[in-house]
């Protein structure tokens, strides 16, 4: 009997889907919804199917739960994003739409640790890997509206100038080996609506860097010089030549 129980438990562990080992999301810069999205989240008084609001997908859940989370197939079920509860008693979460073309993603809610489909979303499917039901989510097209080719300023060879193009009123920063990868230390200035710039004085040398925008870490898409940093991440490379 004991051997039979051990055999059953072993089989269950082998069939356990990847999402059961997911860990809470804890990136270097968490999603930071804008004030307009925050206002929308505060006013939600009922659970609704996922809805797009600007560059976010808004999720909402009602019920007497201690915690509510969500995990996605486009993240390989590796992270659980936890909801906040607003003054209306509704659990709310705003997913920053990942950059890329329109594509389909699967997701499951995590209600007090139990993984389940979204009862407000009638778009469902069977996950091909686990055979379990999942809710469907269409991630809309979001073009990579970033340009950031750095170049040493002609009048001062120790300066590097960073550029970013996006929506007005955003938080955009650059971090790298030159500032300990602190995403709050070097913030780009919005010089005109949606156009951001930053000039840094750096001594000659080679540096790794990335942009931080809207809760996401972005390589410079126009800088073909890339490398793997000591943490194993693909980053952009900046070289300041000796005068």
């Amino acid at each position: 009997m004991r051997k039979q129980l051990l055999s059953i438990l072993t089989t269950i562990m082998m069939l356990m889907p990847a999402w059961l080992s997911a860990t809470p999301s804890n990136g270097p810069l968490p999603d930071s919804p804008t004030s307009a999205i925050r206002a929308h989240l505060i006013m939600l008084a009922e659970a609704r199917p996922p809805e797009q609001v600007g560059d976010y997908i808004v999720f909402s859940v009602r019920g007497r739960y201690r915690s509510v989370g969500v995990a996605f197939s486009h993240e390989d079920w590796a992270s659980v994003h936890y909801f906040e509860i607003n003054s209306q008693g509704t659990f709310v979460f705003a997913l920053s739409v990942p950059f890329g073309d329109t594509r389909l993603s699967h997701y499951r809610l995590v209600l007090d640790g139990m993984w389940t489909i979204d009862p407000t979303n009638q778009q469902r499917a069977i996950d091909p890997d686990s055979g379990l039901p999942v809710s469907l989510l269409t991630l809309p097209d979001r073009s990579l509206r970033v340009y950031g080719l750095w170049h040493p300023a002609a009048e001062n060879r120790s300066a590097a100038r960073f550029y970013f193009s996006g929506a007005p009123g955003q938080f955009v920063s650059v971090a790298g080996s030159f500032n300990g990868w602190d995403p709050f230390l070097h913030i780009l200035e919005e010089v005109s609506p949606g156009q951001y710039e930053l000039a840094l004085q750096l001594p000659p040398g080679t540096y790794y860097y990335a942009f931080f925008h809207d809760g996401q870490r972005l390589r410079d898409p126009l800088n073909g010089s890339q490398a793997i940093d000591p943490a194993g991440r693909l980053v952009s490379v900046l070289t300041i030549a000796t005068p």
Side-chain angles (χ1 to χ4, degrees):
M1 182 66 178
R2 185 176 180 181
K3 289 183 177 180
Q4 289 178 333
L5 287 174
L6 287 174
S7 177
I8 292 171
L9 287 173
T10 301
T11 302
I12 291 173
M13 292 298 291
M14 291 177 64
L15 295 175
M16 186 178 292
W19 58 60
L20 292 183
S21 60
T23 56
S25 59
N26 187 24
L29 185 64
D31 285 351
S32 303
T34 63
S35 57
I37 299 299
R38 282 285 181 189
H40 181 81
L41 296 177
I42 290 172
M43 296 303 295
L44 282 174
E46 60 183 3
R48 302 177 183 176
E51 55 183 333
Q52 183 177 358
V53 181
D55 287 333
Y56 291 86
I57 303 293
V58 173
F59 297 81
S60 52
V61 171
R62 294 281 295 189
R64 300 178 65 179
Y65 302 109
R66 293 186 300 274
S67 68
V68 174
V70 63
F72 302 95
S73 63
H74 70 270
E75 296 178 338
D76 296 324
W77 308 105
S79 298
V80 176
H81 302 270
Y82 286 100
F83 290 42
E84 299 176 7
I85 187 167
N86 66 15
S87 58
Q88 314 292 325
T90 305
F91 290 91
V92 293
F93 171 70
L95 171 72
S96 177
V97 176
F99 290 102
D101 297 329
T102 302
R103 65 272 196 210
L104 195 65
S105 181
H106 298 166
Y107 73 95
R108 299 198 87 196
L109 296 177
V110 186
L111 307 177
D112 287 344
M114 298 294 294
W115 294 68
T116 183
I117 56 175
D118 185 346
T120 69
N121 184 358
Q122 299 304 311
Q123 302 296 316
R124 298 168 185 173
I126 299 298
D127 182 75
D129 296 323
S130 67
L132 296 176
V134 291
S135 298
L136 297 180
L137 174 68
T138 299
L139 296 173
D141 174 78
R142 188 180 183 190
S143 59
L144 196 61
R145 300 168 301 177
V146 181
Y147 68 105
L149 272 179
W150 64 270
H151 60 85
E155 70 279 4
N156 187 341
R157 298 292 293 179
S158 65
R161 193 172 297 274
F162 298 87
Y163 300 92
F164 188 96
S165 179
Q170 301 294 298
F171 176 92
V172 183
S173 67
V174 64
S177 55
F178 48 80
N179 68 359
W181 290 101
D182 186 339
F184 300 102
L185 191 58
H186 291 117
I187 301 172
L188 278 67
E189 178 185 0
E190 188 171 8
V191 295
S192 62
Q195 306 302 314
Y196 304 82
E197 294 184 15
L198 173 69
L200 289 182
Q201 301 294 320
L202 297 172
T206 298
Y207 304 92
Y208 300 142
Y209 73 96
F211 288 103
F212 286 82
H213 168 247
D214 204 16
Q216 299 191 53
R217 175 191 178 120
L218 305 171
R219 287 182 292 107
D220 187 336
L222 299 185
N223 184 355
S225 182
Q226 301 174 358
I228 303 296
D229 73 359
R233 300 168 297 195
L234 188 61
V235 294
S236 300
V237 179
L238 160 66
T239 299
I240 299 294
T242 302

